Amino acid sequence: MQNILYARFSNPIFEPIWNRTYVRNIQITMAENIGVQDRGKFYDETGAIRDVVQNHMLQLLANLTMDPPTGEDHEATRDQKASLLKAVRPLDPKDVVRGQYVGYHSVPGVKPGSTVETFVALRLEIDTWRWAGVPIYIRAGKELPVTATEIIVEFKRPPLEVFGEIVPSASGHLRFRISPDISIGLGLRVKLPGERMVGNDVELILTEQAEEDMPPYQRFLGDAFKGNNELFAREDFVDAQWRVVEPILDNVTPLYRYASPAWGPEEAERLIGSDGPWISPKVPTNAKLKSRAV
């Protein structure tokens, strides 16, 4: 997650285009290719919205869209995150799709006929001058095709295609992969060999192996001993997160079934509509394909 902040604020090429003028939409995906496993009772009292959206996904969103910190102390960063979350519009039920994978009811601890979601897709908006009008799509779920957490920032195409090509509107992006590997990808369009002025989409990728990093709980405990609270959620930040999801808690939206492996129910594609399609993560063959429940 810290790679997001560092890449944004240490590279001067990003800040001028990190706004509603140049960004078409933002997609954040947290996918797991495993089910609930032995956490049936806990998960049936929680669901995907409470389990990962209210906390993890909104934290990622804050890192991605917050304004630069106005100071070097740790509170300066947390101030900007809290300010950003307070500007996120509370979710409208019509902007939410909940799903449940086939076979969930057979998990020990799950109540018969449970309507708890194992998948959620939603559309958010941020009421700030920087992000007003930019649709933000988040999805998270279990029993999906891969295990990966990824952010895609899609840039708008120029108002006129100089070379007369029919270019996809989503051609050009910045991709942050959080797990299972750590990578940053920049989507570009390059000319194909030959005389014709036609091109193709490619991605420049910088990859770092997550195994080289300090284990997360070791990092958290070390920061706690040092009194560094930057990675810990402040009370006003947590309140703002709950304010965003409160209108959609307690099964207020329909539940759709999906079979594994699939990217959730078909209704998720209808949610993103003309802003789509969803850009699904692809896991490299040398990365870990299974996550571990903790």
Side-chain angles (χ1 to χ4, degrees):
M1 289 179 61
Q2 288 186 315
N3 278 338
I4 300 171
L5 291 179
Y6 192 86
R8 282 190 57 198
F9 299 133
S10 67
N11 295 292
I13 64 171
F14 295 133
E15 185 58 24
I17 60 173
W18 214 251
N19 55 61
R20 64 188 302 272
T21 303
Y22 298 99
V23 175
R24 177 175 179 258
N25 69 61
I26 295 171
Q27 299 183 25
I28 306 177
T29 297
M30 181 178 179
E32 293 181 280
N33 67 349
I34 58 172
V36 175
Q37 296 181 312
D38 59 353
R39 304 168 70 208
K41 186 177 186 302
F42 161 79
Y43 204 89
D44 210 45
E45 297 172 351
T46 307
I49 296 172
R50 289 180 172 91
D51 187 35
V52 295
V53 173
Q54 175 272 330
N55 39 39
H56 303 307
M57 307 301 280
L58 292 182
Q59 291 245 15
L60 285 175
L61 177 63
N63 277 22
L64 188 71
T65 57
M66 61 178 270
D67 284 336
T70 55
E72 296 182 358
D73 66 335
H74 301 304
E75 285 303 314
T77 299
R78 302 211 300 174
D79 287 343
Q80 293 296 347
K81 289 182 181 180
S83 178
L84 185 283
L85 259 296
K86 292 173 184 177
V88 177
R89 195 177 299 176
L91 281 163
D92 190 314
K94 69 178 177 57
D95 293 326
V96 178
V97 171
R98 295 190 311 124
Q100 185 186 93
Y101 67 80
V102 175
Y104 174 72
H105 288 161
S106 63
V107 176
V110 172
K111 297 177 182 177
S114 172
T115 56
V116 168
E117 75 281 349
T118 61
F119 171 93
V120 64
L122 50 88
R123 183 185 189 276
L124 287 168
E125 293 188 35
I126 303 175
D127 290 329
T128 64
W129 280 23
R130 180 191 288 261
W131 295 113
V134 177
I136 298 166
Y137 294 93
I138 292 176
R139 61 177 174 172
K142 293 184 176 295
E143 289 290 352
L144 303 185
V146 300
T147 292
T149 300
E150 191 167 274
I151 297 169
I152 300 286
V153 178
E154 290 192 19
F155 298 109
K156 295 178 180 178
R157 294 297 304 167
L160 177 66
E161 296 293 350
V162 175
F163 301 107
E165 293 181 279
I166 300 176
V167 180
S169 59
S171 182
H173 66 269
L174 186 65
R175 178 176 62 87
F176 293 99
R177 169 70 66 83
I178 310 300
S179 68
D181 57 320
I182 299 172
S183 62
I184 298 176
L186 180 61
L188 300 174
R189 193 161 179 85
V190 299
K191 182 181 176 300
L192 292 172
E195 296 182 1
R196 297 179 60 208
M197 296 296 284
V198 295
N200 192 23
D201 292 332
V202 300
E203 186 177 75
L204 307 180
I205 304 175
L206 172 66
T207 301
E208 176 184 344
Q209 294 301 319
E211 288 78 10
E212 298 174 5
D213 291 343
M214 183 185 298
Y217 287 111
Q218 182 177 335
R219 172 65 188 278
F220 274 120
L221 289 171
D223 281 2
F225 282 122
K226 296 173 185 175
N228 179 359
N229 57 14
E230 183 176 350
L231 298 180
F232 296 86
R234 203 167 63 187
E235 184 176 357
D236 60 338
F237 188 93
V238 175
D239 288 342
Q241 289 174 306
W242 281 114
R243 181 188 61 83
V244 173
V245 302
E246 186 175 9
I248 63 165
L249 297 177
D250 301 322
N251 304 338
V252 299
T253 60
L255 185 73
Y256 304 98
R257 306 296 293 277
Y258 63 97
S260 175
W263 287 102
E266 294 181 0
E267 285 73 13
E269 291 295 337
R270 289 199 282 271
L271 174 69
I272 198 169
S274 61
D275 291 327
W278 289 100
I279 300 177
S280 299
K282 296 179 176 61
V283 176
T285 56
N286 61 344
K288 294 179 179 179
L289 296 181
K290 288 286 185 180
S291 63
R292 180 174 61 89
V294 293

